[in-house]
Amino acid sequence: MAKIEIESHFCTVSLSKLSSCENCISVCPTNAISKLNNGLVSIAEINCVECGVCSAVCPTEAIKLSKFSSLDSVFKFLEHGENILDCKKNVPCLASISIEYLLSFAILKKENILANYGHCSECSIFNNIASTISMIIDEVNFILQAFNLNNRIVLINEPENKKIENNFDKYRRILDINLFERIGGEIRDVNYKLMRQKRIPPHRRLLLMALKKIEPSEHVLSSNDLNTISQKYIDPNLCTGCQLCWRICPTDALSSNNHGSFINFDSAICLKCRLCHDVCEPDAIKINDSFFIKKLFENKIDRLIDFKLSRCAECNILFVSRDNKNLCHRCEIEEKEAHDLWGLNF
């Protein structure tokens, strides 16, 4: 079995060649991850040390380790009252637990989570991942403070800890019940082989469940301080109504109806993968400078923009009408090509 697997149907670079995401490549301490000529991500297993840092920074959770699951580990820690993260005991590396998993663990645990760095000095890759560890812990503590919670992720220096056997069925059941309650009570039949299937990754599902256990916060944070959540707006003067942003969104955070007459946004399930920004040619979709924490607690969808629809005079389909044109974009291109072919002015 492979040490590490990329589920390409969830990877943003597989969803669009315009994706700028290189999170896994930039954090890999051994340069085991690279992009192929076709733009897809590849892992050289001979160089992989199974630290799991790449899986922690993947916004869509497309990367998985064969011998470790962050989701299962959180269940184990909660079931047995464990609150110490230790690379010699229960995690591949302190940087292998993502911001959202670590945040969910802290919320549900309701006490300090201890991150043991006692073995880091003897680790050959520590210098390459130290900044990632700091980024994850700092952001989790920052958000815990914004949630008005007193517990934190605390670094400790302890060389030895006993190993504890765990199971996680109890908290998996809690996750399943509360998650589907949060997204409207509907359990969707997901076909993971379809690249265009919308899905909320497990780390965001767990976080949404954990947030049901605490009181909403009214704090407002700077978007520059957040790596995994965002609020967006669309500049109506720049938007062409091409519909690419919501069609490409991997979680349905951006959505519309069958006619594409509007674009909605749900902050609670936005992963800040930036795929919508990458495919927006006029750069019409923007990230707000501020993020209102209460958005994570509200089951509320914001309307970003409404479009005027017209029926194409040529093909009879509904399209977003701008400048009172009577041809859809496709028919307009075809008509221009026909005029160019015959040397006529368009």
Side-chain angles (χ1 to χ4, degrees), residues 212-245:
K212 295 174 72 69
K213 308 295 182 181
I214 62 175
E215 293 296 320
S217 168
E218 296 292 330
H219 285 287
V220 180
L221 307 179
S222 170
S223 293
N224 292 330
D225 296 327
L226 304 169
N227 286 290
T228 62
I229 50 180
S230 72
Q231 286 176 242
K232 301 183 189 296
Y233 69 95
I234 291 178
D235 186 337
N237 296 317
L238 295 176
C239 180
T240 62
C242 70
Q243 315 283 324
L244 282 178
C245 58

Side-chain angles (χ1 to χ4, degrees), residues 5-15 40 60-62 64 190-199 250:
E5 177 186 359
I6 298 178
E7 296 181 298
S8 60
H9 40 283
F10 296 146
C11 180
T12 61
V13 299
S14 298
L15 295 176
L40 299 182
T60 58
E61 214 165 343
K64 292 184 177 180
V190 179
N191 184 342
Y192 292 102
K193 294 182 179 180
L194 297 177
M195 290 178 62
R196 299 301 180 187
Q197 177 66 54
K198 308 286 187 176
R199 75 144 192 173

Side-chain angles (χ1 to χ4, degrees), residues 62-81:
I63 302 178
K64 292 184 177 180
L65 292 174
S66 62
K67 299 178 182 178
F68 177 76
S69 165
S70 294
L71 179 63
D72 291 350
S73 295
V74 171
F75 295 145
K76 293 175 185 179
F77 301 151
L78 292 170
E79 179 71 15
H80 287 268

Side-chain angles (χ1 to χ4, degrees), residues 108-119:
L108 295 170
K109 186 64 179 173
K110 300 179 181 179
E111 62 182 69
N112 287 343
I113 306 300
L114 308 180
N116 184 15
Y117 69 94
H119 314 291

Side-chain angles (χ1 to χ4, degrees), residues 158-195:
E158 294 185 5
E160 297 295 335
N161 273 296
K162 294 181 179 179
K163 187 173 182 178
I164 302 175
E165 295 297 327
N166 305 298
N167 67 73
F168 51 86
D169 291 340
K170 174 182 176 182
Y171 280 89
R172 181 181 292 280
R173 289 195 296 271
I174 293 175
L175 170 67
D176 291 341
I177 293 170
N178 286 279
L179 161 66
F180 296 118
E181 199 174 279
R182 167 66 180 80
I183 62 174
E186 178 186 3
I187 300 179
R188 301 176 182 176
D189 182 18
V190 179
N191 184 342
Y192 292 102
K193 294 182 179 180
L194 297 177
M195 290 178 62

